[in-house]
Amino acid sequence: MSDAPKKMTLKRWLKSKLYAWQRRKRLLDQLVSAVTAVAVVSGFTAGALLISVEYFSARDRQIADLGVQARILASNASAALAFGDAAAAGDILHALRQSPDVIGARLVGGDGVELAAYLADGRSEDAMRAAPVTIHEAVVEDGMAYGTLTIHAGRDSIHRQLLRFAALVMGAVLVAVLMLRLLFQTALQRMAKPINFIIATMQKITREGDYSLRTNIRAANETGEVSEAFDAMLDQIQRRDEQLAHELIERRKTEARLEHLTRHDSLTGLPNRLGLNEALALRPAGERRSLALLLLDMDHFKAINDSLGHDAGDALLRNTAQTLAALMTPDVRLFRMGGDEFAVLLEGGSPGSAEALASRLLGAMAQAQTVQAQEVFVTGSAGIALYPQHGGDLNDLLRKADTALYAAKSAGRNRAQFYDAVMAETGTQRRALETDLRHAIERGQLFLVYQPQLDLKTGRIAGAEALARWKHPERGMVSPGEFIPLAEECGLIGALGEWVLRTACGEGAALLRQGSTMPFRLSVNLSPVQLADPRLAERVGAILRDTGFPPDRLELEITESAAIEDLDGAAERMRAVTRLGVSFAMDDFGVGATSLSYLKRLPLSMVKIDRSFVRDLPGDPDDAAIATAIIRMAHELSMPVLAEGVETPEQKAFLRDRGCDLVQGYLISRGVSPLEAALKTIVK
Amino acid sequence: MRVLLSLLLALATGPALAAHSARADHEVKAAFLYNAVQFTEWPAGALRGDTLNLCIAGDDAVARALPALANKTAGMRKIMVVPKPGTDHECHVAYLADPMQKIQTRNKNGLLTVSSSAGAPRDLGTALVLGTQDGRVVFAVNLGVAQNQGLRFSAKLLKLAHKVYQP
């Protein structure tokens, strides 16, 4: 009982040793060992079987041989027995000396008397008695029994033979096993070679990560199939790997692009508002170094954009960005804030250096630029806010700089303006004004004045332009130059335009109803928003119907920029309106980069020369040339021309000389109320 | 060893010798005749009946011992003793007490003639001559006589013969 656990432990120990050995050995060696073991067991079993079979058959053979020998001897001995011839019998038995296994023999007569005996040399009677093989043969001749022959034999020769045989067989088995092992090993190695190659390839791939490797064993057996499957797998992995790498690269590119895009402006490549944020955020906390933030924008950019198209506007922005970027230094950095607005950050600048920088930048901007083969002249305005005087953070500074910029624009553009507290007050007032404007129409604070238009051919007032005025309950009269842009910015311009048209038509119709016989035409400005309205004709028609004002007395004034935005659509909508009997005039002509070609495409009845060309007449030769050219070209298109902003008799005389049809301006009259007063203006 | 061996040999052969000495020579000779018949081949057709006829001509000690062989078997046949044979007798074996005596039998051949000499066997004109030598019964064979009668002796018999007279 006490042995059992010990035995188990030993067994387990052997088992574990065997498994460990199996795990350590390569499969090939394990197979070879297994086959060798099988060969050894089967070989030696077969050998042992063969030897034992041989042993028994040798014994049988010996007995058979001895039997034959006994029969021959018995036959020979019959006569000797018959005649009792002991000598002859002894001679006959002596023949057994040729058989080495025979120990001895006896010839006994029928009467039980021994006639002769034989004992092999060196053998004893005892050995004979103890002999393992004994053969009895009756001596018979012709049916007569004469006695018995007994032969005693040993098996020494059999044993010797068997030993030799066993040695031979076992040797052969050993050689066969060794050869089998060798052959098997060679065959296995040949079979394992491609598998080892595949393993080596796999290891190399794992080590180097090179998925372009292939095993390429093209055999028509399992190895070939494994190789093929493995290669196919590698194809997939490689494809996926490449795809993954490609995707990774693409993703990084995209991320980098996005990263760049979020911080940069795509049009100009400049850092954007976020870039500006970061530039300021990167400043060490508690940095007290002074800073100047300049906001720049292009004057009349919207007009240029509208008249030349967005592509031209973009080209202009890119040009400007390049021009400005050329002036940057490590301490001066440029950002694009959106639209036509740029920001410039000046580190450690004094108010003086900021102003100098602003004037350098505006000077560079004011150079003539060539955009789409056309020479364009732009100017810029700048607002400057200082850190820490004007604000403690970026938003604060931006707001202040924006206020300063607005002030610069208000002050006539093409200039730089520092922020000051008064501006802030103005800004606040402007916001209040915006709110007030929203209520102005419904509260009846708006009213119209009419500026008469003089026909230079007849010398009579031919009509008047309706102009909106706002009488603020607290601030008094608000200039149209202030509230019209405000209405445009806060989206009230459509409503304002509609109110002006309806009111003008209403007042005109009222005048006619009073029995006025004056042949007047009423000019009303049409805002870009109204012109862009697809239901323009419908709305105008409704107003005419509601007020009863005759359409042929109404002239709507459009601006170049409003028309050029969508030339075909605008022409279409304008034609719809002209079918009502209403005519159109081109207002502020010459301000934009005007091409006369589109004049032909719009249903226009009149061209109004912008006041900026009239102001310096007749002294300025350029303006004189432009005004003259406009008049000539309009006449070639059979359109009458009206000049705005005529303030002096010289201007009036010049324009009449150049064939201008109508004039409007302070020389004739300011805008007056009511309409009848304007129409009855006495011409000096 | 040698002494022991010879002693053993003597022990082994002793009873045979004793048997010989126990019987008279003429009895042994009669037994020899019987044994010789066993190792003799008769010509085809010579032995027609189911008996082997042993004819006895003349009278001596051997002739008197021979009738004892009657009814013994020789191969498939029984031995029939024919005393004083005549021409109407068929003889297969004839013992001639006087070797010079001629007997007339019905059969012309196939007759084994046997005679006996007092001492060592001599050529007495019979196919088989029985004699004694050194106190032992021996025999001689005359092949010429046997061949004349169409008889053949077994080689085993010839091997044991004291003398073989060639024709």
Side-chain angles (χ1 to χ4, degrees), chain A residues 62-100:
Chain A
Q62 184 194 32
I63 288 165
D65 286 352
L66 286 172
V68 168
Q69 212 165 8
R71 272 195 296 284
I72 291 168
L73 286 180
S75 170
N76 285 342
S78 57
L81 263 182
F83 293 101
D85 192 330
D91 282 349
I92 287 164
L93 286 185
H94 207 65
L96 285 169
R97 74 176 180 282
Q98 301 297 334
S99 303

Side-chain angles (χ1 to χ4, degrees), chain A residues 174-193:
Chain A
L174 203 68
V175 167
V177 164
L178 287 175
M179 277 177 69
L180 184 77
R181 188 190 156 93
L182 197 72
L183 279 174
F184 192 70
Q185 205 163 20
T186 312
L188 267 186
Q189 268 165 358
R190 196 175 306 125
M191 284 197 304
K193 208 171 147 190

Side-chain angles (χ1 to χ4, degrees), chain A residues 426-622:
Chain A
T426 311
T428 313
Q429 285 176 1
R430 188 164 161 262
R431 274 191 293 283
L433 203 61
E434 205 177 290
T435 317
D436 292 345
L437 182 60
R438 289 180 191 279
H439 304 293
I441 298 172
E442 54 207 64
R443 288 177 186 168
Q445 293 169 4
L446 292 174
F447 62 96
L448 293 181
V449 295
Y450 298 89
Q451 187 171 41
Q453 298 170 337
L454 176 68
D455 188 332
L456 290 172
K457 302 286 191 303
T458 61
R460 281 213 283 262
I461 301 299
E465 182 182 359
L467 298 166
R469 291 289 181 268
W470 181 15
K471 191 176 185 206
H472 194 277
E474 291 146 28
R475 299 163 56 159
M477 293 302 294
V478 180
S479 148
E482 198 171 344
F483 76 82
I484 297 292
L486 195 64
E488 277 175 357
E489 282 172 31
C490 62
L492 284 168
I493 190 69
L496 182 61
E498 178 119 352
W499 178 85
V500 171
L501 181 58
R502 183 171 288 273
T503 309
C505 287
E507 291 181 4
L511 185 62
L512 289 173
R513 273 198 298 275
Q514 286 166 18
S516 172
T517 53
M518 286 179 287
F520 68 91
R521 190 179 57 240
L522 212 50
S523 289
V524 179
N525 289 297
L526 200 65
S527 71
V529 175
Q530 285 172 290
L531 182 60
D533 185 354
R535 297 168 63 203
L536 174 64
E538 204 180 303
R539 288 175 186 275
V540 173
I543 288 167
L544 290 171
R545 216 169 31 249
D546 292 350
T547 57
F549 189 72
D552 58 333
R553 287 180 178 248
L554 180 62
E555 185 180 67
L556 297 174
E557 296 185 2
I558 61 164
T559 57
E560 285 174 285
S561 55
I564 209 159
E565 183 100 0
D566 172 21
L567 192 58
D568 292 335
E572 179 62 38
R573 290 187 288 278
M574 284 164 72
R575 269 193 293 276
V577 175
T578 56
R579 279 195 286 275
L580 299 171
V582 179
S583 59
F584 282 95
M586 176 59 75
D587 202 5
D588 302 336
F589 190 74
V591 174
T594 308
S595 160
L596 276 171
S597 64
Y598 71 81
L599 284 179
K600 290 187 288 185
R601 295 172 59 186
L602 295 171
L604 293 168
S605 316
M606 169 119 73
V607 169
K608 296 180 82 173
I609 301 175
D610 188 69
R611 63 181 69 245
S612 61
F613 300 111
V614 175
R615 190 173 61 217
D616 296 333
L617 286 180
D620 190 299
D622 285 347

Side-chain angles (χ1 to χ4, degrees), chain A residues 75-76 78-80 82-86 88 92 113-115 117 119 123 125 141-142 144 146, chain B residues 1 5 8-9 12-13 15-16 20 32 34-36 38-39 73 75 136 139 156-157 159-160:
Chain A
S75 170
N76 285 342
S78 57
F83 293 101
D85 192 330
I92 287 164
V113 176
E114 184 183 279
L115 179 63
L119 198 63
R123 298 293 192 160
E125 196 77 15
E141 186 73 41
D142 219 3
M144 281 284 292
Y146 294 101
Chain B
M1 194 70 186
L5 192 67
L8 281 169
L9 275 169
T13 52
H20 274 280
F32 263 53
Y34 173 70
N35 281 342
Q38 306 290 339
F39 293 93
T73 55
R136 286 184 64 215
F139 63 90
K156 299 167 192 172
L157 186 74
K159 222 158 117 189
L160 296 177

Side-chain angles (χ1 to χ4, degrees), chain A residues 228 390 473 569:
Chain A
E228 216 168 293
H390 296 151

Side-chain angles (χ1 to χ4, degrees), chain A residues 3-335:
Chain A
D3 272 4
K6 206 174 174 183
K7 236 185 203 166
M8 280 301 291
T9 324
L10 184 71
K11 199 173 165 187
R12 208 172 298 144
W13 178 80
L14 276 172
K15 242 182 189 170
S16 71
K17 281 280 159 194
L18 182 68
Y19 288 155
W21 175 76
Q22 277 179 343
R23 274 198 300 274
R24 267 203 310 279
K25 280 191 86 167
R26 293 189 70 80
L27 278 180
L28 180 86
D29 297 333
Q30 283 188 37
L31 257 177
V32 169
S33 299
V35 165
T36 308
V38 168
V40 165
V41 168
S42 55
F44 283 94
T45 305
L49 214 68
L50 200 65
I51 288 162
S52 58
V53 164
E54 174 60 25
Y55 174 63
F56 288 110
S57 80
R59 274 170 66 157
D60 289 350
R61 248 191 341 269
Q62 184 194 32
I63 288 165
D65 286 352
L66 286 172
V68 168
Q69 212 165 8
R71 272 195 296 284
I72 291 168
L73 286 180
S75 170
N76 285 342
S78 57
L81 263 182
F83 293 101
D85 192 330
D91 282 349
I92 287 164
L93 286 185
H94 207 65
L96 285 169
R97 74 176 180 282
Q98 301 297 334
S99 303
D101 280 336
V102 174
I103 298 168
R106 278 196 179 87
L107 203 52
V108 179
D111 49 4
V113 176
E114 184 183 279
L115 179 63
Y118 163 76
L119 198 63
D121 288 345
R123 298 293 192 160
S124 66
E125 196 77 15
D126 289 341
M128 191 162 83
R129 267 193 294 278
V133 180
T134 303
I135 305 279
H136 297 285
E137 184 71 34
V139 179
V140 177
E141 186 73 41
D142 219 3
M144 281 284 292
Y146 294 101
T148 308
L149 171 68
T150 306
I151 297 176
H152 300 281
R155 288 189 178 129
D156 293 352
S157 72
I158 290 177
H159 291 156
R160 272 196 305 279
Q161 268 176 20
L162 204 68
L163 215 62
R164 273 202 304 278
F165 182 74
L168 198 74
V169 165
M170 289 309 168
V173 166
L174 203 68
V175 167
V177 164
L178 287 175
M179 277 177 69
L180 184 77
R181 188 190 156 93
L182 197 72
L183 279 174
F184 192 70
Q185 205 163 20
T186 312
L188 267 186
Q189 268 165 358
R190 196 175 306 125
M191 284 197 304
K193 208 171 147 190
I195 292 170
N196 282 333
F197 176 66
I198 292 172
I199 292 169
T201 308
M202 281 171 121
Q203 285 169 342
K204 196 172 178 198
I205 288 166
T206 310
R207 203 166 51 241
E208 296 173 7
D210 180 4
Y211 292 107
S212 68
L213 290 173
R214 291 292 179 276
T215 52
N216 271 325
I217 300 163
R218 294 295 165 251
N221 58 19
E222 291 86 339
T223 329
E225 284 166 24
V226 167
S227 161
E228 216 168 293
F230 182 60
D231 285 356
M233 195 177 75
L234 280 177
D235 279 344
Q236 273 186 8
I237 293 174
Q238 187 185 14
R239 239 187 342 267
R240 257 181 232 170
D241 194 44
E242 281 166 1
Q243 218 174 325
L244 211 66
H246 182 71
E247 273 170 16
L248 211 65
I249 289 167
E250 280 300 304
R251 204 162 73 194
R252 283 193 186 135
K253 274 188 192 164
T254 309
E255 278 169 359
R257 205 156 47 228
L258 277 175
E259 176 81 10
H260 190 265
L261 273 180
T262 52
R263 281 169 183 74
H264 290 81
D265 163 51
S266 60
L267 180 67
T268 60
L270 291 174
N272 59 13
R273 192 192 183 97
L274 197 63
L276 176 62
N277 265 331
E278 285 185 354
L280 285 178
L282 284 173
R283 276 165 68 90
E287 168 77 85
R288 302 306 298 172
R289 216 168 138 207
S290 67
L291 196 74
L293 179 67
L294 287 75
L295 274 183
L296 289 94
D297 84 359
M298 271 186 253
D299 297 332
H300 299 298
F301 177 75
K302 192 173 187 307
I304 294 163
N305 208 21
D306 288 348
S307 59
L308 290 179
H310 287 306
D311 289 347
D314 287 350
L316 189 60
L317 280 172
R318 271 197 299 273
N319 278 354
T320 307
Q322 273 175 20
T323 306
L324 294 177
L327 296 171
M328 295 301 119
T329 68
D331 277 345
V332 183
R333 278 175 291 166
L334 179 66
F335 305 87

